[in-house]
mmCIF file of all heavy atoms in Angstrom:
data_model
loop_
_atom_site.group_PDB
_atom_site.id
_atom_site.type_symbol
_atom_site.label_atom_id
_atom_site.label_comp_id
_atom_site.label_asym_id
_atom_site.label_seq_id
_atom_site.Cartn_x
_atom_site.Cartn_y
_atom_site.Cartn_z
ATOM 1 N N VAL V 171 16.000 4.385 -2.984
ATOM 2 C CA VAL V 171 16.375 5.553 -2.186
ATOM 3 C C VAL V 171 15.777 5.543 -0.784
ATOM 4 O O VAL V 171 16.286 6.211 0.115
ATOM 5 C CB VAL V 171 16.005 6.877 -2.895
ATOM 6 C CG1 VAL V 171 16.677 6.960 -4.255
ATOM 7 C CG2 VAL V 171 14.494 7.058 -3.010
ATOM 8 N N LEU V 172 14.695 4.789 -0.566
ATOM 9 C CA LEU V 172 14.065 4.769 0.755
ATOM 10 C C LEU V 172 14.911 4.000 1.768
ATOM 11 O O LEU V 172 15.524 2.978 1.446
ATOM 12 C CB LEU V 172 12.679 4.134 0.682
ATOM 13 C CG LEU V 172 11.548 4.986 0.123
ATOM 14 C CD1 LEU V 172 10.305 4.129 -0.082
ATOM 15 C CD2 LEU V 172 11.225 6.170 1.054
ATOM 16 N N LYS V 173 14.894 4.491 2.999
ATOM 17 C CA LYS V 173 15.493 3.749 4.095
ATOM 18 C C LYS V 173 14.618 2.536 4.415
ATOM 19 O O LYS V 173 13.420 2.530 4.100
ATOM 20 C CB LYS V 173 15.580 4.637 5.342
ATOM 21 C CG LYS V 173 16.474 5.853 5.194
ATOM 22 C CD LYS V 173 16.432 6.704 6.453
ATOM 23 C CE LYS V 173 17.327 7.928 6.323
ATOM 24 N NZ LYS V 173 17.266 8.789 7.538
ATOM 25 N N PRO V 174 15.153 1.499 5.057
ATOM 26 C CA PRO V 174 14.279 0.431 5.569
ATOM 27 C C PRO V 174 13.230 1.035 6.498
ATOM 28 O O PRO V 174 13.558 1.812 7.391
ATOM 29 C CB PRO V 174 15.251 -0.470 6.329
ATOM 30 C CG PRO V 174 16.579 -0.221 5.674
ATOM 31 C CD PRO V 174 16.579 1.230 5.301
ATOM 32 N N GLY V 175 11.973 0.722 6.247
ATOM 33 C CA GLY V 175 10.898 1.327 7.015
ATOM 34 C C GLY V 175 10.431 2.654 6.454
ATOM 35 O O GLY V 175 9.441 3.221 6.927
ATOM 36 N N GLY V 176 11.124 3.174 5.426
ATOM 37 C CA GLY V 176 10.700 4.410 4.778
ATOM 38 C C GLY V 176 9.423 4.200 3.986
ATOM 39 O O GLY V 176 9.088 3.065 3.600
ATOM 40 N N GLN V 177 8.719 5.284 3.730
ATOM 41 C CA GLN V 177 7.397 5.168 3.111
ATOM 42 C C GLN V 177 7.262 6.020 1.861
ATOM 43 O O GLN V 177 7.780 7.137 1.795
ATOM 44 C CB GLN V 177 6.310 5.590 4.110
ATOM 45 C CG GLN V 177 6.202 4.688 5.319
ATOM 46 C CD GLN V 177 5.078 5.097 6.242
ATOM 47 O OE1 GLN V 177 4.759 6.275 6.375
ATOM 48 N NE2 GLN V 177 4.458 4.119 6.899
ATOM 49 N N ALA V 178 6.536 5.466 0.883
ATOM 50 C CA ALA V 178 6.088 6.230 -0.276
ATOM 51 C C ALA V 178 4.582 6.380 -0.149
ATOM 52 O O ALA V 178 3.854 5.383 -0.074
ATOM 53 C CB ALA V 178 6.450 5.519 -1.571
ATOM 54 N N LYS V 179 4.105 7.619 -0.104
ATOM 55 C CA LYS V 179 2.681 7.900 0.071
ATOM 56 C C LYS V 179 2.122 8.391 -1.257
ATOM 57 O O LYS V 179 2.578 9.407 -1.792
ATOM 58 C CB LYS V 179 2.480 8.942 1.166
ATOM 59 C CG LYS V 179 2.952 8.485 2.539
ATOM 60 C CD LYS V 179 2.681 9.543 3.596
ATOM 61 C CE LYS V 179 3.067 9.050 4.990
ATOM 62 N NZ LYS V 179 2.771 10.057 6.028
ATOM 63 N N ILE V 180 1.119 7.665 -1.764
ATOM 64 C CA ILE V 180 0.578 7.933 -3.090
ATOM 65 C C ILE V 180 -0.912 8.255 -2.976
ATOM 66 O O ILE V 180 -1.681 7.518 -2.346
ATOM 67 C CB ILE V 180 0.789 6.721 -4.012
ATOM 68 C CG1 ILE V 180 2.293 6.413 -4.142
ATOM 69 C CG2 ILE V 180 0.167 6.951 -5.376
ATOM 70 C CD1 ILE V 180 2.581 5.086 -4.806
ATOM 71 N N TYR V 181 -1.313 9.339 -3.603
ATOM 72 C CA TYR V 181 -2.718 9.779 -3.585
ATOM 73 C C TYR V 181 -3.015 10.445 -4.922
ATOM 74 O O TYR V 181 -2.160 11.149 -5.462
ATOM 75 C CB TYR V 181 -2.920 10.779 -2.442
ATOM 76 C CG TYR V 181 -4.258 11.503 -2.490
ATOM 77 C CD1 TYR V 181 -5.370 10.983 -1.843
ATOM 78 C CD2 TYR V 181 -4.399 12.690 -3.193
ATOM 79 C CE1 TYR V 181 -6.589 11.627 -1.899
ATOM 80 C CE2 TYR V 181 -5.617 13.341 -3.255
ATOM 81 C CZ TYR V 181 -6.706 12.814 -2.610
ATOM 82 O OH TYR V 181 -7.919 13.449 -2.671
ATOM 83 N N PRO V 182 -4.198 10.257 -5.486
ATOM 84 C CA PRO V 182 -5.301 9.403 -5.054
ATOM 85 C C PRO V 182 -5.217 8.029 -5.725
ATOM 86 O O PRO V 182 -4.441 7.812 -6.635
ATOM 87 C CB PRO V 182 -6.520 10.171 -5.556
ATOM 88 C CG PRO V 182 -6.032 10.800 -6.843
ATOM 89 C CD PRO V 182 -4.578 11.129 -6.614
ATOM 90 N N LEU V 183 -6.096 7.133 -5.281
ATOM 91 C CA LEU V 183 -6.193 5.800 -5.869
ATOM 92 C C LEU V 183 -7.478 5.162 -5.357
ATOM 93 O O LEU V 183 -8.056 5.636 -4.374
ATOM 94 C CB LEU V 183 -4.974 4.950 -5.480
ATOM 95 C CG LEU V 183 -4.722 3.652 -6.263
ATOM 96 C CD1 LEU V 183 -4.592 3.924 -7.757
ATOM 97 C CD2 LEU V 183 -3.473 2.956 -5.756
ATOM 98 N N PHE V 184 -7.938 4.124 -6.068
ATOM 99 C CA PHE V 184 -9.043 3.362 -5.495
ATOM 100 C C PHE V 184 -8.479 2.194 -4.698
ATOM 101 O O PHE V 184 -7.278 2.135 -4.452
ATOM 102 C CB PHE V 184 -10.048 2.912 -6.541
ATOM 103 C CG PHE V 184 -9.494 2.318 -7.803
ATOM 104 C CD1 PHE V 184 -8.481 1.372 -7.789
ATOM 105 C CD2 PHE V 184 -10.011 2.697 -9.020
ATOM 106 C CE1 PHE V 184 -7.996 0.812 -8.950
ATOM 107 C CE2 PHE V 184 -9.536 2.143 -10.203
ATOM 108 C CZ PHE V 184 -8.531 1.210 -10.169
ATOM 109 N N GLU V 185 -9.343 1.281 -4.275
ATOM 110 C CA GLU V 185 -8.885 0.199 -3.404
ATOM 111 C C GLU V 185 -7.867 -0.679 -4.131
ATOM 112 O O GLU V 185 -8.057 -1.068 -5.284
ATOM 113 C CB GLU V 185 -10.068 -0.651 -2.952
ATOM 114 C CG GLU V 185 -10.936 0.024 -1.907
ATOM 115 C CD GLU V 185 -11.999 -0.909 -1.379
ATOM 116 O OE1 GLU V 185 -11.679 -1.692 -0.459
ATOM 117 O OE2 GLU V 185 -13.136 -0.870 -1.884
ATOM 118 N N TRP V 186 -6.802 -0.991 -3.442
ATOM 119 C CA TRP V 186 -5.696 -1.746 -4.009
ATOM 120 C C TRP V 186 -6.138 -3.109 -4.521
ATOM 121 O O TRP V 186 -5.630 -3.615 -5.521
ATOM 122 C CB TRP V 186 -4.596 -1.905 -2.950
ATOM 123 C CG TRP V 186 -3.312 -2.407 -3.504
ATOM 124 C CD1 TRP V 186 -2.840 -3.688 -3.481
ATOM 125 C CD2 TRP V 186 -2.305 -1.639 -4.181
ATOM 126 N NE1 TRP V 186 -1.606 -3.764 -4.089
ATOM 127 C CE2 TRP V 186 -1.265 -2.512 -4.522
ATOM 128 C CE3 TRP V 186 -2.188 -0.284 -4.510
ATOM 129 C CZ2 TRP V 186 -0.125 -2.089 -5.195
ATOM 130 C CZ3 TRP V 186 -1.047 0.135 -5.176
ATOM 131 C CH2 TRP V 186 -0.039 -0.759 -5.516
ATOM 132 N N ARG V 187 -7.102 -3.713 -3.857
ATOM 133 C CA ARG V 187 -7.524 -5.079 -4.227
ATOM 134 C C ARG V 187 -8.137 -5.134 -5.623
ATOM 135 O O ARG V 187 -8.263 -6.211 -6.204
ATOM 136 C CB ARG V 187 -8.525 -5.622 -3.204
ATOM 137 C CG ARG V 187 -9.830 -4.851 -3.101
ATOM 138 C CD ARG V 187 -10.613 -5.285 -1.872
ATOM 139 N NE ARG V 187 -11.808 -4.476 -1.648
ATOM 140 C CZ ARG V 187 -13.043 -4.944 -1.713
ATOM 141 N NH1 ARG V 187 -13.257 -6.216 -1.993
ATOM 142 N NH2 ARG V 187 -14.064 -4.146 -1.469
ATOM 143 N N TYR V 188 -8.508 -3.974 -6.180
ATOM 144 C CA TYR V 188 -9.084 -3.966 -7.524
ATOM 145 C C TYR V 188 -8.029 -3.815 -8.618
ATOM 146 O O TYR V 188 -8.354 -3.895 -9.807
ATOM 147 C CB TYR V 188 -10.113 -2.841 -7.640
ATOM 148 C CG TYR V 188 -11.359 -3.081 -6.821
ATOM 149 C CD1 TYR V 188 -11.799 -2.127 -5.901
ATOM 150 C CD2 TYR V 188 -12.082 -4.263 -6.951
ATOM 151 C CE1 TYR V 188 -12.929 -2.351 -5.130
ATOM 152 C CE2 TYR V 188 -13.212 -4.494 -6.176
ATOM 153 C CZ TYR V 188 -13.635 -3.534 -5.273
ATOM 154 O OH TYR V 188 -14.752 -3.762 -4.515
ATOM 155 N N LEU V 189 -6.789 -3.577 -8.244
ATOM 156 C CA LEU V 189 -5.732 -3.439 -9.235
ATOM 157 C C LEU V 189 -5.268 -4.810 -9.704
ATOM 158 O O LEU V 189 -5.038 -5.718 -8.898
ATOM 159 C CB LEU V 189 -4.551 -2.665 -8.654
ATOM 160 C CG LEU V 189 -4.810 -1.178 -8.368
ATOM 161 C CD1 LEU V 189 -3.655 -0.574 -7.607
ATOM 162 C CD2 LEU V 189 -5.054 -0.413 -9.659
ATOM 163 N N ARG V 190 -5.121 -4.972 -10.988
ATOM 164 C CA ARG V 190 -4.664 -6.229 -11.575
ATOM 165 C C ARG V 190 -3.472 -5.925 -12.479
ATOM 166 O O ARG V 190 -3.622 -5.358 -13.557
ATOM 167 C CB ARG V 190 -5.792 -6.888 -12.388
ATOM 168 C CG ARG V 190 -7.007 -7.281 -11.572
ATOM 169 C CD ARG V 190 -6.694 -8.436 -10.632
ATOM 170 N NE ARG V 190 -7.876 -8.863 -9.891
ATOM 171 C CZ ARG V 190 -8.229 -8.375 -8.709
ATOM 172 N NH1 ARG V 190 -7.481 -7.431 -8.143
ATOM 173 N NH2 ARG V 190 -9.315 -8.800 -8.090
ATOM 174 N N PHE V 191 -2.281 -6.302 -12.017
ATOM 175 C CA PHE V 191 -1.070 -6.011 -12.774
ATOM 176 C C PHE V 191 -0.662 -7.223 -13.601
ATOM 177 O O PHE V 191 -0.774 -8.365 -13.164
ATOM 178 C CB PHE V 191 0.064 -5.633 -11.822
ATOM 179 C CG PHE V 191 -0.212 -4.404 -11.009
ATOM 180 C CD1 PHE V 191 -0.356 -4.483 -9.627
ATOM 181 C CD2 PHE V 191 -0.344 -3.172 -11.615
ATOM 182 C CE1 PHE V 191 -0.605 -3.354 -8.874
ATOM 183 C CE2 PHE V 191 -0.596 -2.034 -10.869
ATOM 184 C CZ PHE V 191 -0.728 -2.127 -9.498
ATOM 185 N N LYS V 192 -0.134 -6.969 -14.795
ATOM 186 C CA LYS V 192 0.346 -8.029 -15.673
ATOM 187 C C LYS V 192 1.869 -8.095 -15.706
ATOM 188 O O LYS V 192 2.437 -9.156 -15.954
ATOM 189 C CB LYS V 192 -0.189 -7.811 -17.089
ATOM 190 C CG LYS V 192 -1.709 -7.877 -17.199
ATOM 191 C CD LYS V 192 -2.161 -7.636 -18.628
ATOM 192 C CE LYS V 192 -3.686 -7.700 -18.738
ATOM 193 N NZ LYS V 192 -4.142 -7.424 -20.122
ATOM 194 N N ASN V 193 2.518 -6.974 -15.480
ATOM 195 C CA ASN V 193 3.967 -6.908 -15.574
ATOM 196 C C ASN V 193 4.606 -7.691 -14.424
ATOM 197 O O ASN V 193 4.443 -7.339 -13.256
ATOM 198 C CB ASN V 193 4.414 -5.439 -15.532
ATOM 199 C CG ASN V 193 5.900 -5.263 -15.731
ATOM 200 O OD1 ASN V 193 6.705 -5.824 -15.003
ATOM 201 N ND2 ASN V 193 6.264 -4.465 -16.721
ATOM 202 N N PRO V 194 5.349 -8.782 -14.703
ATOM 203 C CA PRO V 194 5.925 -9.598 -13.618
ATOM 204 C C PRO V 194 6.944 -8.831 -12.780
ATOM 205 O O PRO V 194 7.063 -9.069 -11.574
ATOM 206 C CB PRO V 194 6.568 -10.770 -14.351
ATOM 207 C CG PRO V 194 6.763 -10.296 -15.755
ATOM 208 C CD PRO V 194 5.645 -9.341 -16.031
ATOM 209 N N GLN V 195 7.675 -7.931 -13.407
ATOM 210 C CA GLN V 195 8.658 -7.137 -12.676
ATOM 211 C C GLN V 195 7.969 -6.252 -11.649
ATOM 212 O O GLN V 195 8.416 -6.136 -10.502
ATOM 213 C CB GLN V 195 9.466 -6.285 -13.647
ATOM 214 C CG GLN V 195 10.561 -5.450 -12.993
ATOM 215 C CD GLN V 195 11.306 -4.603 -14.007
ATOM 216 O OE1 GLN V 195 11.095 -4.691 -15.210
ATOM 217 N NE2 GLN V 195 12.189 -3.754 -13.513
ATOM 218 N N LEU V 196 6.863 -5.643 -12.050
ATOM 219 C CA LEU V 196 6.112 -4.780 -11.141
ATOM 220 C C LEU V 196 5.524 -5.597 -9.996
ATOM 221 O O LEU V 196 5.592 -5.190 -8.823
ATOM 222 C CB LEU V 196 5.008 -4.054 -11.911
ATOM 223 C CG LEU V 196 4.082 -3.155 -11.094
ATOM 224 C CD1 LEU V 196 4.850 -2.060 -10.368
ATOM 225 C CD2 LEU V 196 3.000 -2.543 -11.992
ATOM 226 N N LYS V 197 4.959 -6.753 -10.300
ATOM 227 C CA LYS V 197 4.359 -7.584 -9.253
ATOM 228 C C LYS V 197 5.407 -8.048 -8.242
ATOM 229 O O LYS V 197 5.159 -8.054 -7.030
ATOM 230 C CB LYS V 197 3.645 -8.782 -9.894
ATOM 231 C CG LYS V 197 2.395 -8.404 -10.669
ATOM 232 C CD LYS V 197 1.536 -9.601 -11.018
ATOM 233 C CE LYS V 197 2.149 -10.459 -12.072
ATOM 234 N NZ LYS V 197 1.224 -11.544 -12.518
ATOM 235 N N ASP V 198 6.586 -8.419 -8.723
ATOM 236 C CA ASP V 198 7.655 -8.846 -7.825
ATOM 237 C C ASP V 198 8.134 -7.683 -6.959
ATOM 238 O O ASP V 198 8.407 -7.848 -5.765
ATOM 239 C CB ASP V 198 8.810 -9.414 -8.647
ATOM 240 C CG ASP V 198 9.954 -9.894 -7.768
ATOM 241 O OD1 ASP V 198 9.745 -10.860 -7.009
ATOM 242 O OD2 ASP V 198 11.043 -9.305 -7.835
ATOM 243 N N LEU V 199 8.216 -6.514 -7.557
ATOM 244 C CA LEU V 199 8.674 -5.332 -6.842
ATOM 245 C C LEU V 199 7.728 -4.956 -5.713
ATOM 246 O O LEU V 199 8.154 -4.615 -4.597
ATOM 247 C CB LEU V 199 8.796 -4.171 -7.837
ATOM 248 C CG LEU V 199 9.280 -2.832 -7.315
ATOM 249 C CD1 LEU V 199 10.707 -2.950 -6.796
ATOM 250 C CD2 LEU V 199 9.205 -1.790 -8.416
ATOM 251 N N LEU V 200 6.435 -5.035 -5.964
ATOM 252 C CA LEU V 200 5.449 -4.646 -4.956
ATOM 253 C C LEU V 200 5.492 -5.561 -3.730
ATOM 254 O O LEU V 200 5.072 -5.146 -2.646
ATOM 255 C CB LEU V 200 4.055 -4.639 -5.581
ATOM 256 C CG LEU V 200 3.793 -3.485 -6.560
ATOM 257 C CD1 LEU V 200 2.500 -3.708 -7.341
ATOM 258 C CD2 LEU V 200 3.745 -2.146 -5.821
ATOM 259 N N ARG V 201 6.002 -6.768 -3.882
ATOM 260 C CA ARG V 201 6.119 -7.673 -2.744
ATOM 261 C C ARG V 201 7.179 -7.203 -1.743
ATOM 262 O O ARG V 201 7.243 -7.707 -0.623
ATOM 263 C CB ARG V 201 6.459 -9.080 -3.228
ATOM 264 C CG ARG V 201 5.377 -9.729 -4.089
ATOM 265 C CD ARG V 201 5.693 -11.183 -4.382
ATOM 266 N NE ARG V 201 4.745 -11.748 -5.331
ATOM 267 C CZ ARG V 201 4.989 -11.918 -6.631
ATOM 268 N NH1 ARG V 201 6.177 -11.578 -7.109
ATOM 269 N NH2 ARG V 201 4.080 -12.433 -7.433
ATOM 270 N N LYS V 202 7.967 -6.231 -2.139
ATOM 271 C CA LYS V 202 9.020 -5.711 -1.265
ATOM 272 C C LYS V 202 8.532 -4.554 -0.402
ATOM 273 O O LYS V 202 9.307 -3.944 0.329
ATOM 274 C CB LYS V 202 10.222 -5.291 -2.113
ATOM 275 C CG LYS V 202 10.816 -6.452 -2.899
ATOM 276 C CD LYS V 202 11.963 -6.032 -3.795
ATOM 277 C CE LYS V 202 12.484 -7.226 -4.596
ATOM 278 N NZ LYS V 202 13.587 -6.846 -5.510
ATOM 279 N N PHE V 203 7.232 -4.254 -0.522
ATOM 280 C CA PHE V 203 6.605 -3.220 0.287
ATOM 281 C C PHE V 203 5.449 -3.808 1.085
ATOM 282 O O PHE V 203 4.769 -4.732 0.615
ATOM 283 C CB PHE V 203 6.022 -2.102 -0.595
ATOM 284 C CG PHE V 203 7.024 -1.284 -1.351
ATOM 285 C CD1 PHE V 203 7.340 -1.579 -2.669
ATOM 286 C CD2 PHE V 203 7.636 -0.181 -0.749
ATOM 287 C CE1 PHE V 203 8.235 -0.811 -3.380
ATOM 288 C CE2 PHE V 203 8.532 0.600 -1.467
ATOM 289 C CZ PHE V 203 8.839 0.290 -2.780
ATOM 290 N N ASP V 204 5.207 -3.274 2.259
ATOM 291 C CA ASP V 204 3.929 -3.461 2.939
ATOM 292 C C ASP V 204 3.005 -2.366 2.422
ATOM 293 O O ASP V 204 3.405 -1.193 2.353
ATOM 294 C CB ASP V 204 4.086 -3.332 4.451
ATOM 295 C CG ASP V 204 4.814 -4.519 5.064
ATOM 296 O OD1 ASP V 204 4.642 -5.637 4.557
ATOM 297 O OD2 ASP V 204 5.563 -4.310 6.034
ATOM 298 N N ILE V 205 1.777 -2.722 2.065
ATOM 299 C CA ILE V 205 0.871 -1.763 1.436
ATOM 300 C C ILE V 205 -0.373 -1.603 2.298
ATOM 301 O O ILE V 205 -1.057 -2.577 2.611
ATOM 302 C CB ILE V 205 0.484 -2.222 0.015
ATOM 303 C CG1 ILE V 205 1.748 -2.370 -0.840
ATOM 304 C CG2 ILE V 205 -0.486 -1.234 -0.621
ATOM 305 C CD1 ILE V 205 1.514 -3.026 -2.184
ATOM 306 N N GLN V 206 -0.654 -0.364 2.684
ATOM 307 C CA GLN V 206 -1.843 -0.050 3.466
ATOM 308 C C GLN V 206 -2.564 1.132 2.838
ATOM 309 O O GLN V 206 -1.923 2.007 2.222
ATOM 310 C CB GLN V 206 -1.480 0.277 4.909
ATOM 311 C CG GLN V 206 -0.922 -0.905 5.688
ATOM 312 C CD GLN V 206 -0.700 -0.576 7.152
ATOM 313 O OE1 GLN V 206 -0.306 0.532 7.509
ATOM 314 N NE2 GLN V 206 -0.953 -1.546 8.014
ATOM 315 N N GLN V 207 -3.872 1.171 3.025
ATOM 316 C CA GLN V 207 -4.665 2.270 2.477
ATOM 317 C C GLN V 207 -5.572 2.870 3.540
ATOM 318 O O GLN V 207 -6.063 2.177 4.435
ATOM 319 C CB GLN V 207 -5.523 1.775 1.304
ATOM 320 C CG GLN V 207 -4.712 1.476 0.053
ATOM 321 C CD GLN V 207 -5.599 1.233 -1.148
ATOM 322 O OE1 GLN V 207 -6.444 0.338 -1.140
ATOM 323 N NE2 GLN V 207 -5.418 2.026 -2.183
#
């Protein structure tokens, strides 16, 4: 549903680098976003 350049803002969370995902679909999907904290 997001436009190109559109943003999803999620709060709260800890540092992204500590997240370890196992689901390959989720990992592939996250590569389609730029992620900043």
Side-chain angles (χ1 to χ4, degrees):
V171 302
L172 283 171
K173 297 177 180 178
Q177 295 183 327
K179 297 182 176 182
I180 300 169
Y181 169 90
L183 194 57
F184 45 46
E185 286 186 84
W186 192 261
R187 63 192 174 115
Y188 291 126
L189 291 171
R190 297 291 183 269
F191 298 114
K192 297 179 180 178
N193 184 304
Q195 182 181 354
L196 177 59
K197 291 193 289 187
D198 181 65
L199 181 64
L200 288 169
R201 296 188 187 101
K202 299 177 182 179
F203 294 96
D204 288 326
I205 301 171
Q206 293 186 323
Q207 288 190 302

